[in-house]
Amino acid sequence: MLGNTEDKREQYRLMRDAMKKRFIRVTLGSIVGGVRLGMFTAAFYGFQNILAEQRGVHDVFNVVGAGSATTSAFGLICWLHLKLIETANEGNQAANENLDKRDIKSGVSAAIERLESNLHK
């Protein structure tokens, strides 16, 4: 796990680097999760306030409607994200087989170009 080195300084450096990578990964995951939760909460309360304003009453149906709209919106976003990643992965496999190495584009930009070309057909 720490390597086959007998040098204590090298082992310490390897352990420190591993802990630093873990800390960064956990911190980044926490920040991304917090942003997602904040966006979901803001969208939910925004939909709830819009419904309350439009209907002129504060009741449980506003909560149900806001929850349904927020979940639908975020579900659609997740579905689009997964489709984009899937398209990017398919494109990378095809690009690696058919194109010269210098012509290969990154996954997301290749996927966007393919989606645009499909729309123009």
Side-chain angles (χ1 to χ4, degrees):
M1 186 167 154
L2 289 176
N4 294 331
T5 182
E6 294 290 329
D7 186 14
K8 296 291 183 187
R9 282 188 223 154
E10 182 69 15
Q11 288 181 355
Y12 176 76
R13 187 187 64 77
L14 289 171
M15 182 62 91
R16 187 188 66 219
D17 290 347
M19 293 298 285
K20 183 191 271 186
K21 286 179 185 177
R22 175 187 262 174
F23 176 77
I24 290 171
R25 188 176 63 231
V26 168
T27 304
L28 183 63
S30 298
I31 290 170
V32 169
V35 168
R36 287 179 181 165
L37 178 63
M39 288 172 50
F40 187 87
T41 304
F44 174 78
Y45 280 105
F47 282 134
Q48 188 176 1
N49 286 337
I50 288 171
L51 288 173
E53 216 174 274
Q54 292 295 320
R55 295 181 64 230
V57 70
H58 292 279
D59 60 358
V60 71
F61 296 114
N62 292 342
V63 176
V64 171
S68 298
T70 306
T71 305
S72 299
F74 277 80
L76 180 64
I77 290 169
C78 288
W79 182 80
L80 289 173
H81 184 253
L82 288 175
K83 285 296 182 182
L84 185 63
I85 290 173
E86 183 179 292
T87 307
N89 288 338
E90 289 172 0
N92 278 343
Q93 291 171 356
N96 288 335
E97 294 170 0
N98 297 332
L99 294 177
D100 194 15
K101 290 291 183 191
R102 56 194 144 95
D103 293 335
I104 297 174
K105 298 192 176 196
S106 70
V108 175
S109 65
I112 291 171
E113 285 182 9
R114 276 191 307 284
L115 290 173
E116 287 176 348
S117 67
N118 288 339
L119 289 175
H120 294 300
K121 288 182 182 178

